[in-house]
Coordinates of all heavy atoms in Angstrom, one line a residue:
L27 N 10.5 -15.1 -3.5 CA 9.1 -15.1 -3.1 C 8.7 -14.0 -2.2 O 7.6 -13.4 -2.3 CB 8.9 -16.4 -2.4 CG 8.7 -17.7 -3.2 CD1 8.6 -18.9 -2.4 CD2 7.4 -17.6 -4.1
E28 N 9.7 -13.5 -1.4 CA 9.4 -12.4 -0.5 C 9.1 -11.1 -1.3 O 8.2 -10.4 -1.1 CB 10.5 -12.1 0.5 CG 10.6 -13.1 1.6 CD 11.8 -12.9 2.5 OE1 12.7 -12.2 2.1 OE2 11.7 -13.4 3.6
R29 N 9.9 -11.0 -2.4 CA 9.8 -9.8 -3.2 C 8.4 -9.8 -3.9 O 7.8 -8.8 -4.2 CB 10.9 -9.7 -4.2 CG 12.2 -9.2 -3.7 CD 13.1 -8.7 -4.8 NE 13.5 -9.8 -5.7 CZ 14.6 -10.5 -5.6 NH1 15.4 -10.3 -4.6 NH2 14.8 -11.5 -6.5
A30 N 8.0 -11.1 -4.3 CA 6.7 -11.2 -5.0 C 5.5 -11.1 -4.1 O 4.5 -10.6 -4.5 CB 6.7 -12.5 -5.8
L31 N 5.6 -11.7 -2.9 CA 4.5 -11.8 -2.0 C 4.4 -10.5 -1.2 O 3.3 -10.1 -0.8 CB 4.7 -13.0 -1.0 CG 4.3 -14.4 -1.6 CD1 4.8 -15.4 -0.6 CD2 2.8 -14.5 -1.8
L32 N 5.5 -9.9 -0.8 CA 5.6 -8.8 0.1 C 6.2 -7.6 -0.6 O 7.3 -7.2 -0.2 CB 6.4 -9.2 1.4 CG 6.1 -10.6 1.9 CD1 7.0 -10.9 3.1 CD2 4.6 -10.7 2.3
P33 N 5.5 -7.0 -1.5 CA 6.1 -5.9 -2.3 C 6.1 -4.6 -1.5 O 5.5 -4.4 -0.4 CB 5.2 -5.8 -3.5 CG 3.9 -6.1 -2.9 CD 4.1 -7.2 -1.9
T34 N 6.9 -3.6 -2.0 CA 6.8 -2.2 -1.5 C 5.6 -1.5 -2.1 O 5.4 -1.5 -3.3 CB 8.1 -1.5 -1.9 OG1 9.2 -2.1 -1.4 CG2 8.0 0.0 -1.4
P35 N 4.7 -1.0 -1.2 CA 3.5 -0.3 -1.7 C 3.9 0.8 -2.7 O 4.8 1.5 -2.5 CB 2.9 0.3 -0.4 CG 3.3 -0.6 0.7 CD 4.7 -1.0 0.3
A36 N 3.1 0.8 -3.8 CA 3.3 1.8 -4.9 C 2.4 3.0 -4.7 O 1.4 3.1 -5.5 CB 3.2 1.1 -6.3
V37 N 2.6 3.8 -3.8 CA 1.7 4.9 -3.4 C 2.5 6.2 -3.4 O 3.5 6.3 -2.8 CB 1.1 4.7 -2.0 CG1 0.2 5.9 -1.7 CG2 0.2 3.4 -2.0
R38 N 2.0 7.2 -4.2 CA 2.7 8.5 -4.3 C 2.2 9.5 -3.3 O 2.9 10.4 -2.9 CB 2.5 9.1 -5.7 CG 3.1 8.2 -6.8 CD 2.9 8.9 -8.2 NE 1.5 9.2 -8.4 CZ 0.6 8.4 -8.9 NH1 1.0 7.1 -9.3 NH2 -0.6 8.7 -9.2
D39 N 0.9 9.3 -2.8 CA 0.3 10.3 -1.9 C 0.9 10.2 -0.5 O 0.7 9.3 0.2 CB -1.2 10.0 -1.8 CG -2.0 11.1 -1.1 OD1 -1.3 11.9 -0.4 OD2 -3.2 11.0 -1.1
G40 N 1.7 11.2 -0.2 CA 2.4 11.3 1.1 C 1.5 11.5 2.2 O 1.8 11.2 3.4
G41 N 0.3 11.9 2.0 CA -0.7 12.2 3.1 C -1.4 10.9 3.5 O -2.1 10.9 4.5
L42 N -1.3 9.9 2.7 CA -2.0 8.6 3.0 C -1.1 7.7 3.8 O 0.0 7.4 3.4 CB -2.4 7.9 1.7 CG -3.3 6.6 1.9 CD1 -4.7 7.0 2.4 CD2 -3.3 5.8 0.6
E43 N -1.6 7.3 5.0 CA -0.8 6.4 5.8 C -0.9 5.0 5.2 O -2.0 4.5 5.0 CB -1.3 6.4 7.3 CG -0.6 5.5 8.2 CD -1.2 5.5 9.6 OE1 -2.3 5.9 9.7 OE2 -0.5 5.1 10.5
V44 N 0.2 4.4 5.0 CA 0.3 3.0 4.5 C 1.3 2.2 5.3 O 2.5 2.5 5.3 CB 0.7 2.9 3.0 CG1 0.7 1.5 2.5 CG2 -0.2 3.8 2.2
L45 N 0.8 1.2 6.1 CA 1.6 0.4 6.9 C 1.4 -1.1 6.5 O 0.2 -1.5 6.3 CB 1.3 0.5 8.4 CG 1.5 2.0 9.0 CD1 1.1 2.0 10.4 CD2 3.0 2.4 8.8
V46 N 2.4 -1.9 6.4 CA 2.3 -3.3 6.0 C 3.1 -4.1 7.0 O 4.0 -3.7 7.6 CB 2.7 -3.6 4.6 CG1 1.8 -2.8 3.6 CG2 4.2 -3.2 4.4
G47 N 2.7 -5.4 7.1 CA 3.4 -6.3 8.0 C 3.1 -7.8 7.6 O 2.1 -8.1 7.1
Y48 N 4.1 -8.6 7.9 CA 3.9 -10.0 7.6 C 4.7 -10.9 8.6 O 5.8 -10.5 9.1 CB 4.5 -10.3 6.2 CG 4.4 -11.8 5.8 CD1 3.3 -12.3 5.1 CD2 5.4 -12.7 6.1 CE1 3.2 -13.6 4.7 CE2 5.3 -14.0 5.7 CZ 4.2 -14.5 5.1 OH 4.1 -15.8 4.7
R49 N 4.1 -12.0 9.1 CA 4.8 -12.9 9.9 C 4.7 -14.3 9.4 O 3.5 -14.8 9.1 CB 4.3 -12.9 11.4 CG 4.5 -11.6 12.1 CD 6.0 -11.5 12.5 NE 6.3 -10.3 13.3 CZ 6.4 -9.1 12.9 NH1 6.4 -8.9 11.5 NH2 6.6 -8.1 13.7
A50 N 5.8 -15.0 9.1 CA 5.7 -16.3 8.6 C 5.2 -17.3 9.7 O 5.3 -16.9 10.9 CB 7.1 -16.8 8.1
G51 N 4.7 -18.4 9.3 CA 4.2 -19.4 10.3 C 5.3 -20.1 11.0 O 6.5 -19.7 11.0
R52 N 4.9 -21.2 11.7 CA 5.8 -21.9 12.7 C 7.1 -22.4 12.0 O 8.2 -22.4 12.6 CB 5.1 -23.0 13.3 CG 5.9 -23.8 14.3 CD 5.0 -24.8 15.1 NE 4.1 -24.1 15.9 CZ 3.0 -24.6 16.4 NH1 2.7 -25.9 16.1 NH2 2.1 -23.9 17.1
E53 N 7.1 -22.8 10.7 CA 8.2 -23.3 10.1 C 9.2 -22.2 9.6 O 10.3 -22.5 9.1 CB 7.8 -24.2 8.9 CG 7.0 -25.4 9.3 CD 7.7 -26.3 10.3 OE1 8.9 -26.5 10.1 OE2 7.0 -26.9 11.2
G54 N 8.8 -21.0 9.7 CA 9.6 -19.9 9.3 C 9.7 -19.7 7.8 O 10.5 -18.9 7.3
L55 N 8.8 -20.4 7.0 CA 8.8 -20.3 5.6 C 7.6 -19.5 5.1 O 6.6 -19.5 5.8 CB 8.8 -21.7 5.0 CG 10.0 -22.6 5.3 CD1 9.8 -24.0 4.7 CD2 11.3 -22.0 4.8
L56 N 7.7 -18.9 4.0 CA 6.6 -18.1 3.4 C 5.5 -19.1 3.0 O 5.7 -20.1 2.5 CB 7.1 -17.3 2.2 CG 8.1 -16.2 2.5 CD1 8.6 -15.6 1.2 CD2 7.4 -15.1 3.3
G57 N 4.3 -18.6 3.3 CA 3.1 -19.4 2.8 C 2.4 -18.7 1.7 O 3.0 -17.9 0.9
G58 N 1.1 -18.9 1.7 CA 0.3 -18.3 0.6 C -0.4 -17.0 0.9 O -1.2 -16.5 0.1
D59 N -0.1 -16.3 2.0 CA -0.6 -15.0 2.3 C 0.1 -14.0 1.5 O 1.4 -14.0 1.3 CB -0.5 -14.7 3.8 CG -1.4 -15.6 4.6 OD1 -1.8 -16.6 4.2 OD2 -1.6 -15.2 5.8
F60 N -0.6 -12.9 1.0 CA 0.0 -11.9 0.2 C -0.7 -10.6 0.4 O -1.9 -10.6 0.8 CB 0.1 -12.3 -1.3 CG -1.3 -12.6 -1.9 CD1 -2.0 -11.7 -2.6 CD2 -1.8 -13.9 -1.8 CE1 -3.2 -12.0 -3.1 CE2 -3.0 -14.3 -2.4 CZ -3.7 -13.3 -3.0
Y61 N -0.1 -9.5 0.0 CA -0.7 -8.2 0.1 C -0.1 -7.3 -1.0 O 1.0 -7.6 -1.5 CB -0.6 -7.6 1.5 CG 0.9 -7.3 1.9 CD1 1.6 -6.2 1.3 CD2 1.5 -8.0 2.8 CE1 2.8 -5.9 1.7 CE2 2.8 -7.8 3.2 CZ 3.5 -6.7 2.6 OH 4.8 -6.4 3.0
D62 N -0.8 -6.1 -1.2 CA -0.2 -5.1 -2.1 C -1.1 -3.8 -2.0 O -2.2 -3.9 -1.5 CB -0.3 -5.6 -3.6 CG 0.8 -4.9 -4.4 OD1 1.4 -3.9 -3.9 OD2 1.0 -5.3 -5.6
V63 N -0.4 -2.7 -2.3 CA -1.1 -1.4 -2.3 C -0.6 -0.6 -3.5 O 0.6 -0.5 -3.6 CB -0.9 -0.6 -1.0 CG1 -1.7 0.7 -1.0 CG2 -1.1 -1.5 0.3
V64 N -1.5 -0.2 -4.3 CA -1.1 0.6 -5.5 C -2.0 1.8 -5.7 O -3.2 1.7 -5.5 CB -1.3 -0.4 -6.8 CG1 -1.0 0.4 -8.1 CG2 -0.3 -1.6 -6.7
E65 N -1.4 2.9 -6.1 CA -2.1 4.1 -6.4 C -2.2 4.3 -7.9 O -1.2 4.2 -8.6 CB -1.5 5.4 -5.8 CG -2.2 6.6 -6.1 CD -1.6 7.9 -5.4 OE1 -0.6 7.7 -4.7 OE2 -2.1 9.0 -5.6
R66 N -3.4 4.5 -8.5 CA -3.6 4.7 -9.9 C -3.3 6.2 -10.2 O -3.2 7.1 -9.4 CB -5.0 4.3 -10.3 CG -5.1 2.8 -10.5 CD -6.5 2.4 -10.9 NE -6.5 1.1 -11.5 CZ -7.6 0.5 -11.9 NH1 -8.8 1.1 -11.8 NH2 -7.6 -0.7 -12.4

């Protein structure tokens, strides 16, 4: 689930700053929050 919900951004442009972060809730388990960044 972590690999699916919290992927590595697929960006080739080294000049673009890309920072990502995630914190699980109180139970320490992944929830329904997700993110992604992709360069076409």
Side-chain angles (χ1 to χ4, degrees):
L27 279 174
E28 284 179 344
R29 285 198 297 266
L31 284 167
L32 317 177
T34 301
V37 176
R38 300 182 304 275
D39 186 349
L42 185 70
E43 181 182 19
V44 181
L45 301 175
V46 297
Y48 180 91
R49 290 292 184 276
R52 181 169 295 163
E53 300 300 324
L55 302 175
L56 292 172
D59 291 18
F60 56 94
Y61 64 76
D62 204 353
V63 185
V64 175
E65 182 177 359
R66 282 182 159 173

